[in-house]
mmCIF file of all heavy atoms in Angstrom:
data_model
loop_
_atom_site.group_PDB
_atom_site.id
_atom_site.type_symbol
_atom_site.label_atom_id
_atom_site.label_comp_id
_atom_site.label_asym_id
_atom_site.label_seq_id
_atom_site.Cartn_x
_atom_site.Cartn_y
_atom_site.Cartn_z
ATOM 1 N N VAL A 115 92.371 184.494 132.786
ATOM 2 C CA VAL A 115 91.896 185.877 132.879
ATOM 3 C C VAL A 115 90.503 185.875 132.276
ATOM 4 O O VAL A 115 90.325 185.927 131.057
ATOM 5 C CB VAL A 115 92.822 186.860 132.122
ATOM 6 C CG1 VAL A 115 92.283 188.281 132.240
ATOM 7 C CG2 VAL A 115 94.247 186.769 132.645
ATOM 8 N N ASN A 156 93.440 199.328 138.102
ATOM 9 C CA ASN A 156 94.574 199.626 137.232
ATOM 10 C C ASN A 156 94.266 199.624 135.736
ATOM 11 O O ASN A 156 94.952 200.315 134.986
ATOM 12 C CB ASN A 156 95.705 198.619 137.486
ATOM 13 C CG ASN A 156 96.140 198.623 138.935
ATOM 14 O OD1 ASN A 156 96.085 199.641 139.602
ATOM 15 N ND2 ASN A 156 96.551 197.470 139.429
ATOM 16 N N ASP A 162 86.606 206.032 137.660
ATOM 17 C CA ASP A 162 86.519 207.089 136.648
ATOM 18 C C ASP A 162 85.592 206.717 135.498
ATOM 19 O O ASP A 162 84.967 207.586 134.891
ATOM 20 C CB ASP A 162 87.911 207.404 136.078
ATOM 21 C CG ASP A 162 88.846 208.001 137.123
ATOM 22 O OD1 ASP A 162 88.351 208.694 138.043
ATOM 23 O OD2 ASP A 162 90.059 207.754 137.032
ATOM 24 N N LYS A 165 80.885 202.566 133.817
ATOM 25 C CA LYS A 165 79.930 201.852 132.978
ATOM 26 C C LYS A 165 80.498 201.545 131.597
ATOM 27 O O LYS A 165 81.315 202.288 131.073
ATOM 28 C CB LYS A 165 78.678 202.704 132.760
ATOM 29 C CG LYS A 165 77.975 203.114 134.017
ATOM 30 C CD LYS A 165 76.877 204.106 133.720
ATOM 31 C CE LYS A 165 76.305 204.665 135.012
ATOM 32 N NZ LYS A 165 75.410 205.774 134.774
ATOM 33 N N GLY A 209 57.420 182.685 123.383
ATOM 34 C CA GLY A 209 56.351 183.378 124.091
ATOM 35 C C GLY A 209 56.637 184.858 124.202
ATOM 36 O O GLY A 209 56.779 185.555 123.207
ATOM 37 N N GLU A 219 85.349 190.018 119.236
ATOM 38 C CA GLU A 219 86.696 190.193 119.765
ATOM 39 C C GLU A 219 87.061 191.663 119.725
ATOM 40 O O GLU A 219 86.640 192.399 118.828
ATOM 41 C CB GLU A 219 87.714 189.387 118.951
ATOM 42 C CG GLU A 219 87.561 187.902 119.128
ATOM 43 C CD GLU A 219 88.618 187.107 118.387
ATOM 44 O OE1 GLU A 219 89.518 187.715 117.751
ATOM 45 O OE2 GLU A 219 88.550 185.868 118.434
ATOM 46 N N VAL A 243 84.596 188.683 123.981
ATOM 47 C CA VAL A 243 83.456 189.153 124.759
ATOM 48 C C VAL A 243 82.221 188.413 124.268
ATOM 49 O O VAL A 243 81.977 188.347 123.056
ATOM 50 C CB VAL A 243 83.250 190.677 124.592
ATOM 51 C CG1 VAL A 243 82.048 191.154 125.391
ATOM 52 C CG2 VAL A 243 84.514 191.441 124.975
ATOM 53 N N ASP A 248 68.217 187.427 127.957
ATOM 54 C CA ASP A 248 66.853 186.922 127.873
ATOM 55 C C ASP A 248 65.948 188.071 128.254
ATOM 56 O O ASP A 248 65.825 188.408 129.436
ATOM 57 C CB ASP A 248 66.646 185.722 128.807
ATOM 58 C CG ASP A 248 67.413 184.495 128.355
ATOM 59 O OD1 ASP A 248 67.525 184.285 127.129
ATOM 60 O OD2 ASP A 248 67.899 183.731 129.220
#
Side-chain angles (χ1 to χ4, degrees):
V115 180
N156 303 328
D162 295 329
K165 302 172 188 170
E219 291 183 2
V243 179
D248 291 324

